[in-house]
Amino acid sequence: MVNLVVVSHSALLAQGVVELAQQMTQGGCQLAVAAGVDDADHPIGTDAIKVMEAIESVYSPSGVLVLMDLGSALLSAETALELLAPDMAQNVQLCSASLVEGTLAAVVAASSGASLAEVRAEAMGALAAKAAQLGEKASAPTSSAITKVAPDAQSVSWIVRNPDGLHVRPAAKLVAVLAPFAADLLLEKNGQCVNPRSLNPLALLQVRKGDTIRLLASGEQAGEALDAFMQLAQQHFGESIATPGDSGFTGVMVPRGSISAPLLQWLPAIPVFLPQTINAGQVANEQQRLHQALAQTVADLQQLAQQAEQQIGTEVAAIFNAHGMLIDDDGLYQAMDARIEHQLICAESALQDELMAMVADHLARDDDYLRLRELDIRDILNRTLGHLTGLPPLPLSVTEEVILLAEELFPSQMIGLDNRQIKGICLSKGHILSHSAILAKELDIPMLVGAVGCLEGSHNGQKALLDTAIGVLKLQ
């Protein structure tokens, strides 16, 4: 009988999938779990040795089907195959099916005595059953790298009215809305076309207020994709936009106020590493380390989004959801993997080189809003380097009322700040349109940005008056 192995970054997720599958079959094929890593502080990740041991524990000459969630789970499973004895490995197959539906379909087929090929086919077709039950057409596989417009492509156009164009949050909405459709899609502006299902190309398209964008679609669900696009566009991609008939116009500003309190200088530790070259035999391990760190960052961002939603609201949570989409991108994974493989550099160097190249791209733009998003990328870089080096970012702990002084604050560092203790913020860098400033406004914490020299000219505990109405930090 064919048996199954479930590989996941999360032990809880994998156990839940297996529990559900076992309830459906009441026995039958065996299931093994290879999930999480043996680190109490950072349990999210995958381990090739665990995957190998799981396969060995349920091995059958009839075969073993391995189902995985994402990212490094695939790399760990591939490495496990290389570690297995050849006569065993030839009877093991990796399956790209959806983890939950694929596992349920596979366990039913395996328990009925189906062959390995038949079990795999059932897993791969598992989502079709859900689509049929919902009265939808089954989604056909689509290419993630469309390079030209199909002759039969349909299109719709829209003039963007969002004050800041398609910045990260509305772009993330667009990615999410277009993701389900079985259609080849391109978004065009001034003759330049990008894949609208990926956040990074959308950001670099520099869609601003007043720009005309056109969605081109071909394939089975082209019409549905165009309809969904127009519906979202008419909702201004999830943003509230003032019209000329309104009594006022929406905008973003740091909350104004005046507060007196002692100063607290915060100089958070920045993860550092020694760049190292590797040999060809270390490539897979470095790629796995990188994937695990990225998965931990994605998990962190999901937690930050939940915390932001509870603390502030859904719109602010979208900032961190968008950050998660930006980093959890197949193209980005492939680019960093290629750096490790071809340049023979460590995971830390590949991550830093790739993300700092993205930072440079944003800084080179002639649009202020896009340039400011480089802070978000450095936030992600800092957090992921922390996971790679074992020095993840620590939250600020404050027990008394203070005015917080820092060079700059990342958006993730803003979540959790309590305006009962943090009475105001003064940054030597920063910008009023940064996501950190937006979060300060939502948290009702007065913030002064661009106060050059505020750190060097003050000391901890010094009394000061922060007046953001006139843009002054007065030392007392």
Side-chain angles (χ1 to χ4, degrees):
M1 181 176 291
V2 174
N3 295 320
L4 307 180
V5 171
V6 175
V7 182
S8 173
H9 289 74
S10 167
L12 290 176
L13 173 61
Q15 290 291 352
V17 172
V18 170
E19 180 182 0
L20 183 60
Q22 288 173 334
Q23 288 180 358
M24 292 186 63
T25 60
Q26 299 296 317
C29 78
Q30 299 179 56
L31 292 95
V33 168
V37 293
D38 296 328
D39 184 337
D41 294 326
H42 308 289
I44 300 297
T46 59
D47 184 334
I49 300 300
K50 278 190 174 183
V51 179
M52 179 189 71
E53 292 173 346
I55 293 172
E56 291 174 338
S57 71
V58 296
Y59 178 75
S60 162
S62 298
V64 175
L65 191 69
V66 182
L67 296 105
M68 305 142 289
D69 53 9
L70 75 166
S72 65
L74 174 58
L75 180 62
S76 294
E78 290 175 331
T79 304
L81 279 184
E82 296 175 359
L83 297 174
L84 287 171
D87 59 337
M88 184 180 290
Q90 67 181 0
N91 294 322
V92 179
Q93 288 190 17
L94 308 185
C95 181
S96 62
S98 171
L99 187 64
V100 177
E101 290 87 348
T103 300
L104 298 185
V107 77
V108 171
S111 297
S112 68
S115 67
L116 180 58
E118 291 169 335
V119 172
R120 186 178 186 279
E122 285 295 308
M124 293 298 293
L127 287 178
K130 178 187 283 186
Q133 186 175 351
L134 294 173
E136 301 172 350
K137 294 181 180 179
S139 297
T142 59
S143 171
S144 61
I146 305 164
T147 57
K148 61 182 180 179
V149 179
D152 61 343
Q154 309 169 54
S155 68
V156 292
S157 297
W158 179 259
I159 299 175
V160 176
R161 298 184 177 90
N162 301 55
D164 297 308
L166 285 190
H167 61 91
V168 64
R169 279 174 288 171
K173 287 272 190 182
L174 179 58
V175 171
V177 164
L178 295 180
F181 296 106
D184 293 339
L185 303 175
L186 287 172
L187 190 70
E188 181 263 338
K189 189 197 86 169
N190 296 335
Q192 181 181 358
C193 294
V194 300
N195 176 9
R197 289 181 169 125
S198 181
L199 197 61
N200 296 333
L202 279 177
L204 297 180
L205 192 59
Q206 297 189 73
V207 178
R208 305 172 188 166
K209 181 180 179 181
D211 284 345
T212 298
I213 55 176
R214 182 167 63 122
L215 183 69
L216 300 102
S218 62
E220 181 182 348
Q221 293 184 310
E224 292 95 326
L226 294 174
D227 290 343
F229 170 81
M230 286 304 297
Q231 182 177 357
L232 181 65
Q234 289 164 2
Q235 297 169 353
H236 302 293
F237 304 94
E239 291 195 315
S240 298
I241 304 300
T243 64
D246 293 337
S247 59
F249 294 88
T250 59
V252 178
M253 63 174 289
V254 179
R256 297 191 174 195
S258 178
I259 190 72
S260 179
L263 298 177
L264 173 63
Q265 294 190 352
W266 191 32
L267 303 172
I270 302 297
V272 295
F273 66 94
L274 181 65
Q276 296 180 353
T277 57
I278 62 174
N279 58 50
Q282 296 173 299
V283 167
N285 182 65
E286 288 301 297
Q287 290 173 335
Q288 181 181 1
R289 287 182 60 235
L290 178 58
H291 291 191
Q292 289 175 343
L294 290 168
Q296 288 175 305
T297 295
V298 171
D300 289 349
L301 291 168
Q302 291 171 345
Q303 185 175 355
L304 284 167
Q306 293 172 359
Q307 189 176 350
E309 183 169 1
Q310 294 170 358
Q311 187 177 0
I312 304 172
T314 303
E315 186 173 350
V316 171
I319 293 174
F320 298 101
N321 287 327
H323 288 181
M325 294 173 66
L326 187 150
I327 195 66
D328 195 17
D329 183 272
D330 288 341
L332 189 60
Y333 271 66
Q334 292 167 8
M336 290 186 284
D337 281 351
R339 286 182 183 271
I340 294 174
E341 181 179 0
H342 300 308
Q343 299 177 27
L344 294 178
I345 56 177
C346 63
E348 291 87 347
S349 292
L351 172 73
Q352 180 166 275
D353 291 351
E354 189 65 30
L355 292 194
M356 288 308 293
M358 291 176 61
V359 166
D361 281 341
H362 280 70
L363 290 174
R365 303 295 156 178
D366 56 4
D367 181 271
D368 284 342
Y369 200 93
L370 282 176
R371 283 201 300 271
L372 293 173
R373 298 290 77 79
E374 63 85 23
L375 181 68
D376 299 29
I377 299 172
R378 288 193 290 114
D379 190 1
I380 294 169
L381 171 61
N382 185 63
R383 181 170 293 274
T384 310
L385 278 177
H387 289 308
L388 280 170
T389 59
L391 296 170
L394 297 175
L396 175 66
S397 178
V398 179
T399 58
E400 59 183 1
E401 294 184 357
V402 297
I403 295 173
L404 185 65
L405 264 64
E407 182 178 16
E408 61 184 356
L409 288 176
F410 292 134
S412 66
Q413 293 170 329
M414 297 295 299
I415 295 300
L417 295 186
D418 190 336
N419 60 15
R420 291 172 297 181
Q421 282 83 42
I422 308 298
K423 307 306 293 183
I425 297 172
C426 180
L427 304 180
S428 62
K429 295 183 178 180
H431 194 284
I432 195 172
L433 291 180
S434 71
H435 278 148
S436 297
I438 293 172
L439 288 165
K441 172 182 178 294
E442 296 296 335
L443 291 166
D444 197 26
I445 300 177
M447 175 186 278
L448 182 65
V449 299
V452 179
C454 64
L455 287 167
E456 296 83 353
S458 64
H459 58 80
N460 277 331
Q462 185 174 6
K463 290 280 289 184
L465 175 70
L466 177 65
D467 190 341
T468 59
I470 59 174
V472 172
L473 176 70
K474 297 179 180 179
L475 302 180
Q476 298 177 340

